[in-house]
Amino acid sequence: MTSTNGIMEVTLLQARGLKNTEFFGKIDPYVLIQYKNQELKSQTAGGKASKFRAYFWQGSNPVWNEKFKFRVEYPIKGNEHHKLILKIMDKDTFMTQDDFVGQATINLKELFAIGVENGMAQLPPQKYRVVSTNKTYHGEIKVGVTFIAHEEADRQKDVTTSQ
C-alpha cells in the first residue's frame, strides 16, 4: 500500500463582520488553526500594525495575511476526518480566559484526493462562514489552502522468496 505525505499551507487573510464579545471597546481577534492533532496560532490582529491601521482593521474586521504549514498523511488512518478548523478567539488582557468568537470548518477530502493524483491542489482564497456557539452565523473569514503531495512507498512490503 502506498501512502502519501505532504505539506498543507494555509493562508489566513482576513475576516469581516465578526461578533463583538467585548462590553467596552473592540475585540482583539486571533485564530487557532487546527488540523488533526496539530494546532497553530495567528498573531492578534493589529498587533504589529500602526495605530492608524489597528484602529480601522482591528475588531470585527481583522486582517492577518499570515501563512501556516501542516504535515499531512493521506489516506488518513482510522476514523479521522479531513477537516481544517479555524477557531476565532478574542484575546482578553485582564487575566481572564480568551473568549470564543466563532469558528469555520473547511472540508479537505477532495483537495487531498486531487493533490495526491496531480502532485498539488489548491483552494484559492475564499470566504467561509463563521458560526458561533449558538449555531448562528456571525461574519466570514477568508482563507486559502494549498496541498503539495510527496509519495512514499509504504515501509511494510511483502517479502517473498521464490526459487
Side-chain angles (χ1 to χ4, degrees), residues 101-158:
V101 175
Q103 79 176 32
T105 303
I106 302 172
N107 188 343
L108 302 168
K109 186 174 183 178
E110 189 175 328
L111 177 78
F112 292 159
I114 292 169
V116 167
E117 187 175 319
N118 298 333
M120 185 191 119
Q122 185 175 19
L123 290 173
Q126 54 190 306
K127 297 171 187 172
Y128 298 90
R129 289 182 170 178
V130 174
V131 180
S132 67
T133 52
N134 65 0
K135 307 292 184 210
T136 59
Y137 296 117
H138 287 285
E140 59 193 26
I141 188 166
K142 190 172 186 180
V143 178
V145 183
T146 302
F147 173 63
I148 300 172
H150 305 288
E151 279 197 29
E152 296 182 359
D154 196 352
R155 291 183 182 166
Q156 298 178 349
K157 291 184 180 179
D158 292 331

Side-chain angles (χ1 to χ4, degrees), residues 5 7 12 27 57 59 66 71 80 82 120 132 144:
N5 292 329
I7 299 293
L12 175 64
I27 60 173
W57 290 109
E66 293 183 61
R71 292 180 314 281
E80 295 177 292
H82 307 278
M120 185 191 119
S132 67

Side-chain angles (χ1 to χ4, degrees), residues 12 15 18-22 26-34 39-46 57-64 66 85-93 96-104 130-133 138 140-141:
L12 175 64
L18 298 178
K19 182 179 181 180
N20 190 350
T21 59
E22 295 291 325
K26 296 179 180 182
I27 60 173
D28 303 307
Y30 66 90
V31 181
L32 294 174
I33 305 167
Q34 301 169 332
E39 180 177 86
L40 298 173
K41 180 181 173 183
S42 74
Q43 296 288 323
T44 301
W57 290 109
Q58 198 171 3
S60 296
N61 301 309
V63 174
W64 291 283
E66 293 183 61
I85 298 171
L86 305 154
K87 286 188 178 180
I88 303 167
M89 305 294 292
D90 172 25
K91 180 153 183 68
D92 284 336
T93 55
T96 58
Q97 189 173 5
D98 293 353
D99 298 318
F100 176 77
V101 175
Q103 79 176 32
V130 174
V131 180
S132 67
T133 52
H138 287 285
E140 59 193 26
I141 188 166

